[in-house]
Amino acid sequence: MKSILLASAAIVAGTAASAQTVGFSQIGSESGWRAAETTLTRQQAEERGIDLRFSDAQQRQENQISAIRSFVAQGVDAILLAPVVATGWDSVLEEAAEAEIPVVLLDRLVDSSDELYLTAVGSDLVHEGEVAGQWLVDNKPEGECRVVELQGTTGSSPAIDRATGFRNAIEGNADIEIVRSQTGDFTRSGGKEVMESFLQAESGNDICALYAHNDDMALGAIQAITEAGMDPGGDILIVSIDAVPDIFQAMANGDANATVELTPNMAGPAFDALEAYWADGTEPEKFIQTESRLYTQADDPLAEYEARKDLGY
Ligand code: AHR
């Protein structure tokens, strides 16, 4: 498969100056982070004179598979794929490789052979969960700490890896126990609904902290906690992932405690890799890692909100 892609790069090398066409199969618009990734991908394409063909899968893998087949039929020069789940991609990725179209994965991984895609751009998702878990280890109140977890989309690589990372970090802390864990599908409404059910099921029992696999679910949960007459960020500590503008506002209000940043600019490194590949067949690393960092209430959340609020979230 690698040789097919290399042959393709050699053919394209002679035409690198002409406008390239890239198909982008996006998952949907489940979160503020996802909206920002879409906005930045469109901006990056425009700045580079790339003709971007966008397809919104509305959270369904079958829609992504159809979109990729359609991009292959159109003969695009490359495909960007943000895969909703990790499994089930082999056949369609083989079809793209047979058509000599390089595929770049954005923000999530697949369990297919890495020979079936050119590169993947994303963060270390296990590390993100570890950073969130370590924050809780360092900041939990004295004594027993019962944690509820809002997981991302079932079967997606961030849901799997962020769950693993958090457990790695709290392992060996006998005081910390995850008492409930359920998917909120990375959405604000899902986070609110599942948090309501956690609060109902745990009524009378202390919940010390919420770990949410993204900020949108945390924001939905904050609403549920407030409506239940409790103090989010105080009675229940809240740590999540993404660093969207609204979570900084919640942090400024004292309603959220910490977030781990995931940059929405996956397209920049992806297009850099593609442009080098188109130009002379340069093979990028199989994984291009973006930076992640922890923000807490001590990091001037209002300034962080201001810095991000117009970036397409
Ligand atoms: O794959 C990245 C995750 O997908 C983001 O953390 C989440 O907000 C989005 O839905």
Side-chain angles (χ1 to χ4, degrees):
M1 215 56 69
K2 196 170 182 177
S3 55
I4 294 172
L5 289 175
L6 276 172
S8 151
I11 293 162
V12 174
T15 60
S18 61
Q20 306 287 2
T21 299
V22 174
F24 177 23
S25 172
Q26 177 59 294
I27 292 169
S29 49
E30 73 280 5
S31 64
W33 185 91
R34 183 71 48 202
E37 185 190 52
T38 298
T39 304
L40 284 168
T41 306
R42 290 186 194 278
Q43 279 172 5
Q44 286 281 338
E46 202 178 323
E47 280 165 24
R48 295 165 193 253
I50 290 169
D51 173 13
L52 190 74
R53 299 188 185 168
F54 181 78
S55 173
D56 177 341
Q58 305 193 328
Q59 267 72 41
R60 298 169 75 96
Q61 184 179 31
E62 60 267 36
N63 291 344
Q64 294 204 281
I65 290 173
S66 302
I68 294 168
R69 292 205 165 115
S70 161
F71 294 145
V72 169
Q74 291 166 46
V76 296
D77 298 301
I79 293 170
L80 302 180
L81 167 64
V84 61
V85 290
T87 57
W89 299 100
D90 289 1
S91 303
V92 77
L93 291 179
E94 275 160 18
E95 289 167 37
E98 288 298 328
E100 303 180 356
I101 298 173
V103 173
V104 177
L105 304 179
L106 296 189
D107 72 86
R108 297 187 186 184
L109 294 176
V110 298
D111 72 352
S112 304
S113 159
D114 67 7
E115 292 196 352
L116 292 176
Y117 55 88
L118 183 69
T119 185
V121 182
S123 60
D124 181 336
L125 298 162
V126 174
H127 178 66
E128 289 173 348
E130 287 170 346
V131 171
Q134 192 56 49
W135 179 84
L136 184 63
V137 169
D138 296 340
N139 291 279
K140 78 172 195 57
E142 286 281 298
E144 185 190 37
C145 179
R146 303 172 78 253
V147 180
V148 295
E149 178 186 37
L150 285 167
Q151 294 215 355
T153 301
T154 304
S156 68
S157 65
I160 297 165
D161 291 348
R162 289 172 183 170
T164 302
F166 189 81
R167 283 159 181 76
N168 291 347
I170 64 170
E171 199 183 356
N173 283 270
D175 282 350
I176 303 180
E177 185 193 359
I178 301 172
V179 292
R180 296 200 176 259
S181 179
Q182 199 176 312
T183 181
D185 214 10
F186 281 130
T187 66
R188 210 173 276 214
S189 58
K192 180 168 189 281
E193 201 178 305
V194 177
M195 190 69 207
E196 283 166 352
S197 74
F198 285 164
L199 291 171
Q200 207 171 10
E202 289 295 329
S203 74
N205 298 323
D206 254 9
I207 297 174
C208 143
L210 163 69
Y211 167 44
H213 289 192
N214 80 346
D215 290 343
D216 276 74
M217 291 190 293
L219 288 158
I222 287 169
Q223 226 183 312
I225 295 165
T226 307
E227 285 172 13
M230 283 180 271
D231 172 23
D235 295 333
I236 300 179
L237 299 177
I238 296 180
V239 57
S240 52
I241 296 171
D242 275 356
V244 303
D246 288 355
I247 204 74
F248 285 109
Q249 224 162 26
M251 280 163 65
N253 296 339
D255 291 342
N257 304 88
T259 186
V260 184
E261 183 175 41
L262 174 69
T263 176
N265 184 17
M266 301 279 156
F271 287 141
D272 287 347
L274 280 169
E275 283 170 346
Y277 181 72
W278 288 328
D280 59 12
T282 300
E283 287 269 336
E285 295 290 316
K286 276 292 168 189
F287 185 61
I288 300 171
Q289 194 178 319
T290 59
E291 294 302 316
S292 318
R293 66 155 283 199
L294 177 76
Y295 287 89
T296 68
Q297 289 176 352
D299 289 307
D300 195 353
L302 274 184
E304 295 301 333
Y305 169 79
E306 286 298 326
R308 288 169 172 75
K309 70 180 188 346
D310 298 322
L311 295 181
Y313 284 95

